[in-house]
């Protein structure tokens, strides 16, 4: 399903993102990579002791598959309705601890501000080049404001 709007609130929405999987966004892989690079990170008290945010999750394959194999809290945000619908199917089928939001980055930032949210991981892949400079600024503000101390 295509969205006929070329731009929607600073987002390129004329095409859906590719239907793929990105293993590098897995929080265990991120931890492993930091460990072998000698970068100190926050040690978790349990496998479920972390929160993960993916901004602009595309079709949601990576976000939802990582959530289905982990006990951490997974949150994702994407503006395109078809992306969110696809992700919600995976979340429901896997019964994972994941939440997908269909909001602009600005709206999502406001949600996080109201809830005083912090995330141990904030990841994005491919979205930076699909958005306006204004939205890039909002993403930087989300990372700065909501990445927990010792975040990855």
């Amino acid at each position: 399903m295509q969205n006929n709007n070329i731009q929607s609130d600073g987002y390129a929405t004329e095409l859906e993102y590719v239907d793929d999987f990105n293993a590098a966004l897995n929080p265990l892989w991120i931890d492993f990579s930091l460990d072998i690079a000698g970068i100190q990170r926050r040690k978790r008290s349990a496998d479920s002791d972390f929160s993960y945010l993916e901004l602009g999750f595309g079709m949601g394959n990576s976000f939802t598959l990582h959530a289905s194999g982990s006990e951490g809290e997974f949150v994702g945000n994407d503006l395109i309705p078809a992306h969110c619908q696809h992700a919600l199917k995976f979340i429901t089928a896997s019964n994972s601890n994941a939440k997908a939001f269909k909001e602009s980055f600005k709206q999502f930032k406001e949600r996080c501000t109201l809830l005083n949210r912090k995330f141990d991981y904030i990841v994005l892949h491919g979205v930076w080049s699909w958005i306006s400079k204004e939205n890039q600024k909002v993403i930087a503000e989300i990372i700065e404001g909501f990445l927990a101390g010792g975040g990855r």
Side-chain angles (χ1 to χ4, degrees):
M1 179 169 93
Q2 291 186 349
N3 183 334
N4 293 328
N5 296 330
I6 292 176
Q7 291 285 330
S8 178
D9 194 28
Y11 299 81
T13 59
E14 68 275 12
L15 296 173
E16 293 174 12
Y17 196 64
V18 294
D19 191 6
D20 71 347
F21 173 77
N22 189 327
L25 299 180
N26 183 311
L28 295 175
W29 179 255
I30 293 169
D31 285 351
F32 174 74
S33 299
L34 292 172
D35 286 345
I36 62 172
I39 297 171
Q40 189 171 13
R41 60 183 175 82
R42 180 178 76 92
K43 299 297 181 192
R44 298 193 293 254
S45 60
D47 287 340
S48 61
D49 183 26
F50 71 89
S51 56
Y52 176 101
L53 170 62
E54 185 168 342
L55 296 169
F57 57 70
M59 297 303 284
N61 296 345
S62 303
F63 159 63
T64 56
L65 195 56
H66 298 315
S68 71
S70 177
E71 294 182 18
E73 176 194 17
F74 285 76
V75 176
N77 185 66
D78 200 287
L79 181 72
I80 298 175
H83 291 173
C84 295
Q85 291 167 356
H86 192 265
L88 288 172
K89 287 179 190 175
F90 276 39
I91 291 168
T92 300
S94 67
N95 198 28
S96 68
N97 184 20
K99 294 182 180 94
F101 294 96
K102 188 192 95 41
E103 298 176 329
S104 70
F105 293 124
K106 184 178 177 184
Q107 290 169 320
F108 188 77
K109 178 185 166 198
E110 291 168 1
R111 171 190 296 279
C112 290
T113 299
L114 287 173
L115 298 174
N116 194 26
R117 285 303 319 253
K118 294 290 181 185
F119 297 95
D120 296 301
Y121 303 84
I122 299 178
V123 302
L124 54 143
H125 179 266
V127 70
W128 195 260
S129 61
W130 287 59
I131 60 174
S132 66
K133 294 284 185 199
E134 181 180 310
N135 279 305
Q136 290 174 351
K137 182 177 183 257
V138 174
I139 285 179
E141 291 168 354
I142 289 171
I143 294 168
E144 183 178 327
F146 305 111
L147 184 62
R152 287 85 166 158

